[in-house]
Short mmCIF file of all heavy atoms in Angstrom, two decimals:
data_model
loop_
_atom_site.label_atom_id
_atom_site.label_comp_id
_atom_site.label_asym_id
_atom_site.label_seq_id
_atom_site.Cartn_x
_atom_site.Cartn_y
_atom_site.Cartn_z
N LEU A 1 32.12 8.46 10.75
CA LEU A 1 31.33 9.53 10.15
C LEU A 1 30.96 10.50 11.26
O LEU A 1 29.85 10.48 11.79
CB LEU A 1 30.07 8.96 9.48
CG LEU A 1 30.28 7.99 8.31
CD1 LEU A 1 28.96 7.35 7.89
CD2 LEU A 1 30.92 8.70 7.12
N ASN A 2 31.91 11.34 11.63
CA ASN A 2 31.75 12.17 12.83
C ASN A 2 30.61 13.16 12.75
O ASN A 2 30.16 13.69 13.76
CB ASN A 2 33.06 12.91 13.11
CG ASN A 2 34.19 11.96 13.45
OD1 ASN A 2 33.96 10.89 14.01
ND2 ASN A 2 35.42 12.33 13.10
N TRP A 3 30.11 13.44 11.54
CA TRP A 3 29.03 14.40 11.38
C TRP A 3 27.64 13.80 11.65
O TRP A 3 26.63 14.52 11.60
CB TRP A 3 29.05 14.98 9.96
CG TRP A 3 29.20 13.95 8.87
CD1 TRP A 3 30.37 13.52 8.29
CD2 TRP A 3 28.15 13.21 8.24
NE1 TRP A 3 30.11 12.58 7.33
CE2 TRP A 3 28.75 12.37 7.27
CE3 TRP A 3 26.76 13.20 8.37
CZ2 TRP A 3 28.02 11.51 6.46
CZ3 TRP A 3 26.02 12.34 7.58
CH2 TRP A 3 26.65 11.51 6.63
N LEU A 4 27.57 12.51 11.94
CA LEU A 4 26.26 11.91 12.17
C LEU A 4 25.53 12.51 13.36
O LEU A 4 24.30 12.51 13.40
CB LEU A 4 26.40 10.39 12.38
CG LEU A 4 26.66 9.53 11.14
CD1 LEU A 4 26.60 8.06 11.48
CD2 LEU A 4 25.69 9.85 10.01
N ASN A 5 26.27 13.04 14.35
CA ASN A 5 25.60 13.64 15.50
C ASN A 5 25.28 15.12 15.29
O ASN A 5 24.99 15.84 16.24
CB ASN A 5 26.43 13.47 16.77
CG ASN A 5 27.74 14.24 16.73
OD1 ASN A 5 28.15 14.71 15.65
ND2 ASN A 5 28.40 14.37 17.86
N GLN A 6 25.32 15.56 14.03
CA GLN A 6 24.96 16.94 13.71
C GLN A 6 23.91 16.95 12.59
O GLN A 6 24.13 17.49 11.50
CB GLN A 6 26.21 17.71 13.26
CG GLN A 6 27.28 17.78 14.34
CD GLN A 6 28.59 18.36 13.82
OE1 GLN A 6 28.75 18.60 12.62
NE2 GLN A 6 29.52 18.60 14.72
N PRO A 7 22.75 16.36 12.82
CA PRO A 7 21.73 16.30 11.79
C PRO A 7 21.05 17.66 11.59
O PRO A 7 21.06 18.50 12.48
CB PRO A 7 20.74 15.27 12.33
CG PRO A 7 20.85 15.41 13.82
CD PRO A 7 22.30 15.71 14.09
N ALA A 8 20.44 17.82 10.43
CA ALA A 8 19.63 19.02 10.20
C ALA A 8 18.35 18.97 11.03
O ALA A 8 17.82 19.99 11.44
CB ALA A 8 19.30 19.13 8.71
N TRP A 9 17.86 17.76 11.28
CA TRP A 9 16.70 17.56 12.13
C TRP A 9 16.73 16.12 12.66
O TRP A 9 17.39 15.26 12.07
CB TRP A 9 15.38 17.82 11.38
CG TRP A 9 15.22 17.05 10.11
CD1 TRP A 9 15.51 17.48 8.84
CD2 TRP A 9 14.76 15.69 9.97
NE1 TRP A 9 15.26 16.49 7.92
CE2 TRP A 9 14.80 15.38 8.58
CE3 TRP A 9 14.33 14.72 10.87
CZ2 TRP A 9 14.41 14.14 8.08
CZ3 TRP A 9 13.94 13.48 10.37
CH2 TRP A 9 13.99 13.21 9.00
N MET A 10 16.02 15.88 13.72
CA MET A 10 15.94 14.53 14.27
C MET A 10 14.70 14.38 15.13
O MET A 10 14.17 15.36 15.67
CB MET A 10 17.19 14.19 15.10
CG MET A 10 17.34 15.05 16.35
SD MET A 10 18.70 14.49 17.42
CE MET A 10 17.97 13.03 18.12
N GLN A 11 14.21 13.16 15.24
CA GLN A 11 13.15 12.81 16.18
C GLN A 11 13.48 11.44 16.77
O GLN A 11 14.15 10.63 16.12
CB GLN A 11 11.78 12.75 15.50
CG GLN A 11 11.18 14.11 15.19
CD GLN A 11 9.71 14.03 14.81
OE1 GLN A 11 9.05 13.00 15.03
NE2 GLN A 11 9.19 15.10 14.23
N VAL A 12 13.01 11.21 17.99
CA VAL A 12 13.26 9.93 18.67
C VAL A 12 11.91 9.33 19.06
O VAL A 12 11.04 10.03 19.59
CB VAL A 12 14.14 10.12 19.92
CG1 VAL A 12 14.49 8.77 20.53
CG2 VAL A 12 15.40 10.90 19.59
N HIS A 13 11.76 8.04 18.80
CA HIS A 13 10.53 7.34 19.16
C HIS A 13 10.87 6.22 20.15
O HIS A 13 11.85 5.50 19.98
CB HIS A 13 9.85 6.75 17.93
CG HIS A 13 8.55 6.07 18.24
ND1 HIS A 13 7.36 6.77 18.32
CD2 HIS A 13 8.24 4.78 18.50
CE1 HIS A 13 6.38 5.93 18.60
NE2 HIS A 13 6.89 4.71 18.73
N ARG A 14 10.02 6.10 21.17
CA ARG A 14 10.22 5.08 22.20
C ARG A 14 9.28 3.90 21.92
O ARG A 14 8.06 4.05 21.90
CB ARG A 14 9.89 5.70 23.56
CG ARG A 14 10.14 4.82 24.75
CD ARG A 14 9.51 5.39 26.02
NE ARG A 14 9.26 6.81 25.99
CZ ARG A 14 9.99 7.72 26.64
NH1 ARG A 14 11.02 7.34 27.36
NH2 ARG A 14 9.67 9.00 26.58
N TRP A 15 9.87 2.72 21.68
CA TRP A 15 9.09 1.49 21.56
C TRP A 15 9.20 0.73 22.88
O TRP A 15 10.20 0.09 23.16
CB TRP A 15 9.62 0.61 20.42
CG TRP A 15 9.42 1.20 19.05
CD1 TRP A 15 10.38 1.73 18.24
CD2 TRP A 15 8.19 1.30 18.34
NE1 TRP A 15 9.82 2.16 17.07
CE2 TRP A 15 8.48 1.91 17.10
CE3 TRP A 15 6.86 0.95 18.62
CZ2 TRP A 15 7.49 2.17 16.14
CZ3 TRP A 15 5.89 1.20 17.67
CH2 TRP A 15 6.20 1.80 16.45
N ARG A 16 8.16 0.82 23.68
CA ARG A 16 8.18 0.17 25.00
C ARG A 16 8.11 -1.35 24.86
O ARG A 16 8.70 -2.09 25.66
CB ARG A 16 7.02 0.69 25.84
CG ARG A 16 7.05 0.25 27.30
CD ARG A 16 5.94 0.92 28.07
NE ARG A 16 6.14 2.35 28.18
CZ ARG A 16 6.85 2.93 29.14
NH1 ARG A 16 7.46 2.19 30.05
NH2 ARG A 16 6.99 4.24 29.17
N TYR A 17 7.40 -1.82 23.85
CA TYR A 17 7.22 -3.27 23.65
C TYR A 17 7.72 -3.62 22.26
O TYR A 17 6.93 -3.94 21.35
CB TYR A 17 5.76 -3.66 23.83
CG TYR A 17 5.16 -3.20 25.13
CD1 TYR A 17 4.15 -2.23 25.16
CD2 TYR A 17 5.61 -3.73 26.33
CE1 TYR A 17 3.60 -1.82 26.35
CE2 TYR A 17 5.06 -3.31 27.54
CZ TYR A 17 4.06 -2.34 27.54
OH TYR A 17 3.52 -1.93 28.73
N ALA A 18 9.02 -3.58 22.06
CA ALA A 18 9.58 -3.78 20.71
C ALA A 18 9.68 -5.25 20.34
O ALA A 18 9.29 -5.64 19.24
CB ALA A 18 10.96 -3.12 20.63
N PHE A 19 10.24 -6.08 21.24
CA PHE A 19 10.51 -7.49 20.91
C PHE A 19 10.08 -8.37 22.07
O PHE A 19 10.40 -8.09 23.23
CB PHE A 19 11.99 -7.71 20.63
CG PHE A 19 12.58 -6.75 19.62
CD1 PHE A 19 13.40 -5.72 20.04
CD2 PHE A 19 12.29 -6.87 18.28
CE1 PHE A 19 13.95 -4.82 19.13
CE2 PHE A 19 12.83 -5.99 17.35
CZ PHE A 19 13.65 -4.96 17.78
N ALA A 20 9.37 -9.44 21.76
CA ALA A 20 8.97 -10.39 22.80
C ALA A 20 10.17 -11.25 23.19
O ALA A 20 10.73 -11.96 22.36
CB ALA A 20 7.83 -11.27 22.32
N THR A 21 10.59 -11.16 24.46
CA THR A 21 11.73 -11.93 24.93
C THR A 21 11.31 -13.24 25.58
O THR A 21 12.11 -14.17 25.70
CB THR A 21 12.54 -11.11 25.95
OG1 THR A 21 11.67 -10.71 27.02
CG2 THR A 21 13.12 -9.86 25.30
N GLN A 22 10.07 -13.32 26.04
CA GLN A 22 9.54 -14.56 26.63
C GLN A 22 8.19 -14.86 25.98
O GLN A 22 7.15 -14.66 26.58
CB GLN A 22 9.39 -14.41 28.14
CG GLN A 22 10.71 -14.20 28.87
CD GLN A 22 10.48 -13.80 30.32
OE1 GLN A 22 10.06 -12.68 30.63
NE2 GLN A 22 10.73 -14.74 31.22
N PRO A 23 8.20 -15.32 24.73
CA PRO A 23 6.93 -15.56 24.02
C PRO A 23 6.15 -16.72 24.62
O PRO A 23 6.67 -17.52 25.41
CB PRO A 23 7.38 -15.86 22.60
CG PRO A 23 8.78 -16.38 22.74
CD PRO A 23 9.38 -15.65 23.90
N LEU A 24 4.92 -16.79 24.21
CA LEU A 24 4.01 -17.81 24.73
C LEU A 24 4.29 -19.19 24.13
O LEU A 24 3.93 -20.21 24.70
CB LEU A 24 2.57 -17.39 24.42
CG LEU A 24 1.44 -17.96 25.24
CD1 LEU A 24 1.61 -17.64 26.71
CD2 LEU A 24 0.11 -17.45 24.73
N GLN A 25 4.89 -19.21 22.94
CA GLN A 25 5.19 -20.45 22.22
C GLN A 25 3.93 -21.21 21.83
O GLN A 25 3.87 -22.44 21.91
CB GLN A 25 6.13 -21.36 23.05
CG GLN A 25 7.43 -20.72 23.46
CD GLN A 25 8.37 -20.43 22.28
OE1 GLN A 25 8.06 -20.76 21.16
NE2 GLN A 25 9.51 -19.82 22.55
N GLN A 26 2.90 -20.47 21.42
CA GLN A 26 1.72 -21.08 20.84
C GLN A 26 1.10 -20.09 19.85
O GLN A 26 1.36 -18.89 19.94
CB GLN A 26 0.70 -21.49 21.92
CG GLN A 26 0.08 -20.34 22.69
CD GLN A 26 -0.81 -20.83 23.82
OE1 GLN A 26 -0.38 -21.59 24.68
NE2 GLN A 26 -2.06 -20.39 23.82
N PRO A 27 0.29 -20.55 18.90
CA PRO A 27 -0.14 -19.68 17.81
C PRO A 27 -0.96 -18.47 18.24
O PRO A 27 -0.78 -17.37 17.73
CB PRO A 27 -0.97 -20.61 16.92
CG PRO A 27 -0.47 -21.98 17.22
CD PRO A 27 -0.10 -21.96 18.68
N CYS A 28 -1.90 -18.67 19.17
CA CYS A 28 -2.68 -17.55 19.69
C CYS A 28 -3.10 -17.92 21.11
O CYS A 28 -2.73 -18.97 21.62
CB CYS A 28 -3.89 -17.23 18.80
SG CYS A 28 -5.09 -18.58 18.65
N PHE A 29 -3.87 -17.05 21.75
CA PHE A 29 -4.14 -17.21 23.19
C PHE A 29 -5.62 -17.00 23.44
O PHE A 29 -6.15 -15.90 23.23
CB PHE A 29 -3.30 -16.19 23.97
CG PHE A 29 -3.43 -16.30 25.46
CD1 PHE A 29 -2.71 -17.25 26.16
CD2 PHE A 29 -4.24 -15.44 26.16
CE1 PHE A 29 -2.82 -17.36 27.55
CE2 PHE A 29 -4.36 -15.52 27.54
CZ PHE A 29 -3.65 -16.49 28.23
N SER A 30 -6.31 -18.03 23.87
CA SER A 30 -7.73 -17.93 24.17
C SER A 30 -7.93 -17.66 25.66
O SER A 30 -7.30 -18.28 26.51
CB SER A 30 -8.46 -19.23 23.79
OG SER A 30 -9.80 -19.18 24.23
N ALA A 31 -8.83 -16.71 25.96
CA ALA A 31 -9.16 -16.43 27.36
C ALA A 31 -10.12 -17.47 27.92
O ALA A 31 -10.45 -17.42 29.11
CB ALA A 31 -9.78 -15.04 27.48
N GLU A 32 -10.56 -18.40 27.08
CA GLU A 32 -11.49 -19.48 27.48
C GLU A 32 -12.73 -18.89 28.15
O GLU A 32 -13.19 -19.37 29.19
CB GLU A 32 -10.78 -20.48 28.39
CG GLU A 32 -9.58 -21.14 27.72
CD GLU A 32 -8.87 -22.13 28.63
OE1 GLU A 32 -9.38 -22.39 29.74
OE2 GLU A 32 -7.81 -22.63 28.23
N SER A 33 -13.26 -17.84 27.53
CA SER A 33 -14.40 -17.14 28.08
C SER A 33 -15.61 -17.28 27.17
O SER A 33 -15.50 -17.72 26.03
CB SER A 33 -14.07 -15.64 28.24
OG SER A 33 -13.80 -15.07 26.95
N SER A 34 -16.75 -16.91 27.69
CA SER A 34 -17.96 -16.81 26.89
C SER A 34 -18.59 -15.45 27.18
O SER A 34 -18.94 -15.17 28.34
CB SER A 34 -18.94 -17.93 27.25
OG SER A 34 -20.11 -17.83 26.47
N PRO A 35 -18.70 -14.59 26.18
CA PRO A 35 -18.41 -14.74 24.75
C PRO A 35 -16.91 -14.93 24.50
O PRO A 35 -16.08 -14.62 25.36
CB PRO A 35 -18.89 -13.40 24.15
CG PRO A 35 -19.74 -12.75 25.19
CD PRO A 35 -19.24 -13.25 26.50
N PRO A 36 -16.55 -15.41 23.30
CA PRO A 36 -15.14 -15.70 23.01
C PRO A 36 -14.27 -14.44 22.99
O PRO A 36 -14.70 -13.37 22.55
CB PRO A 36 -15.20 -16.33 21.61
CG PRO A 36 -16.60 -16.80 21.44
CD PRO A 36 -17.44 -15.85 22.21
N LEU A 37 -13.04 -14.61 23.46
CA LEU A 37 -12.04 -13.54 23.42
C LEU A 37 -10.68 -14.19 23.14
O LEU A 37 -10.28 -15.11 23.86
CB LEU A 37 -12.01 -12.77 24.74
CG LEU A 37 -11.13 -11.51 24.78
CD1 LEU A 37 -11.71 -10.49 25.75
CD2 LEU A 37 -9.70 -11.84 25.18
N ILE A 38 -10.02 -13.75 22.07
CA ILE A 38 -8.74 -14.31 21.64
C ILE A 38 -7.70 -13.21 21.58
O ILE A 38 -7.97 -12.11 21.10
CB ILE A 38 -8.86 -14.96 20.24
CG1 ILE A 38 -10.00 -15.98 20.20
CG2 ILE A 38 -7.54 -15.61 19.82
CD1 ILE A 38 -9.81 -17.19 21.06
N CYS A 39 -6.50 -13.50 22.07
CA CYS A 39 -5.36 -12.59 21.92
C CYS A 39 -4.43 -13.15 20.86
O CYS A 39 -4.25 -14.37 20.75
CB CYS A 39 -4.59 -12.45 23.23
SG CYS A 39 -5.55 -11.72 24.58
N CYS A 40 -3.84 -12.25 20.06
CA CYS A 40 -2.87 -12.70 19.07
C CYS A 40 -1.79 -11.65 18.91
O CYS A 40 -1.92 -10.51 19.36
CB CYS A 40 -3.55 -13.00 17.73
SG CYS A 40 -4.26 -11.56 16.92
N GLY A 41 -0.70 -12.03 18.26
CA GLY A 41 0.42 -11.12 18.06
C GLY A 41 1.71 -11.90 17.94
O GLY A 41 1.74 -13.12 18.17
N ASP A 42 2.79 -11.20 17.60
CA ASP A 42 4.07 -11.90 17.45
C ASP A 42 4.55 -12.50 18.75
O ASP A 42 5.37 -13.42 18.77
CB ASP A 42 5.14 -10.97 16.86
CG ASP A 42 5.33 -9.70 17.66
OD1 ASP A 42 4.78 -9.59 18.78
OD2 ASP A 42 6.04 -8.79 17.16
N TRP A 43 4.04 -12.02 19.88
CA TRP A 43 4.45 -12.53 21.18
C TRP A 43 3.82 -13.89 21.50
O TRP A 43 4.20 -14.52 22.49
CB TRP A 43 4.08 -11.53 22.29
CG TRP A 43 2.64 -11.10 22.31
CD1 TRP A 43 2.09 -10.02 21.66
CD2 TRP A 43 1.56 -11.74 22.99
NE1 TRP A 43 0.73 -9.95 21.90
CE2 TRP A 43 0.38 -10.99 22.72
CE3 TRP A 43 1.45 -12.87 23.80
CZ2 TRP A 43 -0.87 -11.32 23.23
CZ3 TRP A 43 0.21 -13.21 24.32
CH2 TRP A 43 -0.93 -12.43 24.03
N CYS A 44 2.87 -14.33 20.71
CA CYS A 44 2.28 -15.66 20.95
C CYS A 44 3.23 -16.76 20.47
O CYS A 44 3.77 -17.50 21.30
CB CYS A 44 0.92 -15.76 20.28
SG CYS A 44 -0.38 -14.84 21.13
N PRO A 45 3.50 -16.88 19.16
CA PRO A 45 4.43 -17.93 18.75
C PRO A 45 5.89 -17.55 18.97
O PRO A 45 6.75 -18.42 19.09
CB PRO A 45 4.13 -18.09 17.25
CG PRO A 45 3.59 -16.76 16.83
CD PRO A 45 2.88 -16.20 18.02
N GLY A 46 6.18 -16.25 19.03
CA GLY A 46 7.56 -15.79 19.14
C GLY A 46 8.15 -15.56 17.77
O GLY A 46 8.12 -16.45 16.92
N GLY A 47 8.66 -14.36 17.55
CA GLY A 47 9.21 -14.00 16.25
C GLY A 47 8.86 -12.57 15.90
O GLY A 47 8.55 -11.77 16.79
#
């Protein structure tokens, strides 16, 4: 489809952190602090 590089308009978005390649392999991440602080996201269990 040679016309794909001739769009009427286009925009490009940069995802710096798109996919976790070295996940934590646990459900969430506690900083073990007081007061409590928890990190979560797809990068914790991986997926």
Side-chain angles (χ1 to χ4, degrees):
L1 297 172
N2 295 330
W3 47 267
L4 285 187
N5 66 346
Q6 299 171 353
W9 54 264
M10 65 173 286
Q11 285 193 15
V12 185
H13 183 84
R14 185 192 337 255
W15 293 107
R16 189 174 293 273
Y17 306 113
F19 309 105
T21 56
Q22 296 169 288
L24 202 59
Q25 303 293 358
Q26 66 185 55
C28 62
F29 183 81
S30 173
E32 299 180 7
S33 62
S34 180
L37 187 150
I38 306 294
C39 296
C40 65
D42 56 10
W43 53 269
C44 286

